[in-house]
Amino acid sequence: MVLKIARRGQIPPFIAMDVLRAANERALAGDDVLHLEVGQPSTPAPSAVLAAAHGALESETLGYTDALGLPPLRTAIAAHYRQHYGVAIDPGRVVVTTGSSGAFLIAFLAAFDPGDRVGLASPSYPAYRNILRALDLVPVELPAGAGQRYQATPDLVRGHQGRLDGLIVASPANPTGTMLTPDEIAALGRYCLEMGIRFISDEIYHGITFGETAATALASCDEAIVVNSFSKYFSMTGWRLGWMVAPPALVRASECLAQNLFISPPALSQHAAIAAFQSRDELDANVARYAANRALLLAELPKAGFDRFAPADGAFYLYADVGHLTNDSPEFCRRMLREIGVACTPGTDFDPARGHATLRLSFAGTEATIVEAARRLTSWRR
Ligand SMILES: Cc1ncc(COP(=O)(O)O)c(C=O)c1O
């Protein structure tokens, strides 16, 4: 008898991770592959974090922690909001999670019932819609273009005709890097509160900005669920640690979900992460490198015919319109990997309807990687 695969398990892949696997296979076979497909820093965790991890290995049992996270880490995260944004947060509202990915699972389960409809801009981070689907929730695409800076702006959300139970925004966003202004975030928070819509702000790229600094939704909306992570600015991607700041009424539900789904976030990562907030100089040096990589790509890529980018205000991506070069971005990316060993992610990961004409390049790599990628792309397209 053939046993079924559940409908909820049949979600689309996270294409960037599929491209990473293909790129790693080529690298194992001896190709010199440049990774511009995944969004992860090419640096290790800051030195104070590594020292704290060594210390914890020597001195701690490293068993389960509180499901909501180690109290000193929750306090350090709350202090970060005070110091960095001037916003007072009760550490009791901080839920430490296994990456922001764990936070999304907890937040969606705590806030939504099956069938609830959650709005998100397209293009946006693919796992939002794919996790929602796995939970029997309905992702509602809000197609955003250059006019909205690819964001779910207040006007776009107000103009949507159907019911929304939730709204997810990210500023800076993946894949475009565009940002919402503090006023736009405040307006979205107010609108959501008025309409009974759960407002979720993904702030994972905070700290990685190239002009304006990013505003937290917590500055204007106490009811927002704010998600963040040690994976990007803090350069701790594989430590699998993130957090969310939940409205007080959702904390106990989040705790019960965390207890049962994960028991606790990883203990070693939590002990180490307490030191991350004292590592700003080291981390800001990484951001300076991202800025230099971004400038280099923006100067060089037009020579390869890539000259239409979303305004990358933050994060470490360029989202390129390649509609004049291809109408099949997955095949275009496969060819790029096969012919010049440059891995990048087709836009279909972020925008299933329109992403056949776009692709995303990550500039989180080393300067040498980005220089060489630009060289290969320009000679490929000549
Ligand atoms: C916008 C956005 N949110 C969330 C995540 C998940 O990151 P993590 O689970 O490592 O915190 C990513 C990863 O690339 C992302 O780009």
Side-chain angles (χ1 to χ4, degrees):
M1 189 161 143
V2 181
L3 298 177
K4 73 170 184 186
I5 302 172
R7 180 180 41 79
R8 287 181 304 180
Q10 296 182 45
I11 58 171
F14 186 170
I15 297 173
M17 299 308 290
D18 276 357
V19 177
L20 174 65
R21 181 164 44 70
N24 284 339
E25 281 165 11
R26 294 198 80 86
L28 266 179
D31 282 6
D32 177 16
V33 172
L34 303 174
H35 292 279
L36 277 70
E37 78 283 39
V38 277
Q40 64 173 339
S42 50
T43 42
S47 44
V49 168
L50 296 177
H54 283 294
L57 278 173
E58 298 292 329
S59 63
E60 300 289 338
T61 315
L62 300 175
Y64 296 135
T65 68
D66 286 1
L68 291 175
L70 280 177
L73 178 58
R74 297 172 73 202
T75 302
I77 291 170
H80 169 66
Y81 282 93
R82 197 175 51 250
Q83 284 153 15
H84 191 69
Y85 303 100
V87 175
I89 296 295
D90 177 353
R93 291 174 57 191
V94 176
V95 181
V96 181
T97 54
T98 50
S100 68
S101 305
F104 285 116
L105 189 56
I106 291 174
F108 294 169
L109 284 166
F112 303 121
D113 283 318
D116 278 358
R117 295 163 52 83
V118 182
L120 39 89
S122 45
S124 62
Y125 177 59
Y128 301 146
R129 80 171 70 79
N130 296 340
I131 299 173
L132 289 168
R133 277 198 201 154
L135 297 178
D136 254 347
L137 300 164
V138 182
V140 178
E141 306 274 347
L142 305 170
Q148 295 86 24
R149 297 172 74 81
Y150 306 94
Q151 289 279 358
T153 58
D155 283 347
L156 192 66
V157 175
R158 265 190 236 106
H160 174 70
Q161 298 299 314
R163 186 190 93 235
L164 288 181
D165 301 289
L167 175 72
I168 308 172
V169 298
S171 170
N174 176 4
T176 56
T178 62
M179 286 163 65
L180 291 160
T181 65
D183 285 350
E184 286 172 329
I185 294 179
L188 283 168
R190 264 195 314 276
Y191 178 77
C192 286
L193 207 52
E194 268 166 42
M195 304 299 287
I197 298 171
R198 228 4 129 180
F199 184 40
I200 301 177
S201 175
D202 180 356
E203 303 186 353
I204 187 169
Y205 291 103
H206 278 211
I208 308 176
T209 52
F210 308 112
E212 300 297 316
T213 54
T216 176
L218 291 169
S220 51
C221 180
D222 247 5
E223 282 303 309
I225 299 176
V226 165
V227 174
N228 207 324
S229 175
F230 290 95
S231 289
K232 309 293 178 178
Y233 173 75
F234 295 100
S235 196
M236 296 177 63
T237 319
W239 299 66
R240 305 311 301 132
L241 206 63
W243 73 86
M244 84 183 177
V245 180
L250 278 191
V251 172
R252 180 62 181 154
S254 302
E255 181 173 23
C256 295
L257 285 161
Q259 289 168 345
N260 286 288
L261 288 171
F262 304 111
I263 303 188
S264 76
L268 179 60
S269 302
Q270 292 189 72
H271 281 283
I274 295 168
F277 297 103
Q278 293 128 41
S279 306
R280 295 208 80 93
D281 288 350
E282 222 173 303
L283 296 169
D284 288 342
N286 294 343
V287 179
R289 185 168 42 76
Y290 304 143
N293 286 349
R294 171 181 176 273
L296 191 140
L297 287 182
L298 286 174
E300 293 299 312
L301 287 182
K303 298 176 195 162
F306 301 96
D307 53 3
R308 304 166 192 185
F309 300 111
D313 305 325
F316 32 49
Y317 308 109
L318 288 181
Y319 194 55
D321 177 350
V322 288
H324 54 302
L325 305 175
T326 182
N327 61 6
D328 184 355
S329 59
E331 176 51 23
F332 190 80
C333 291
R334 275 192 294 275
R335 209 154 61 75
M336 192 188 291
L337 178 61
R338 200 168 56 237
E339 294 178 9
I340 55 168
V342 175
C344 77
T345 304
T348 44
D349 211 11
F350 313 99
D351 188 340
R354 298 175 301 174
H356 55 275
T358 55
L359 54 79
R360 186 196 73 175
L361 299 150
S362 163
F363 52 81
T366 62
E367 187 191 351
T369 299
I370 300 304
V371 168
E372 175 60 11
R375 191 195 64 74
R376 288 188 200 177
L377 283 165
T378 30
S379 54
W380 187 52
R381 298 285 320 157
R382 233 179 226 134

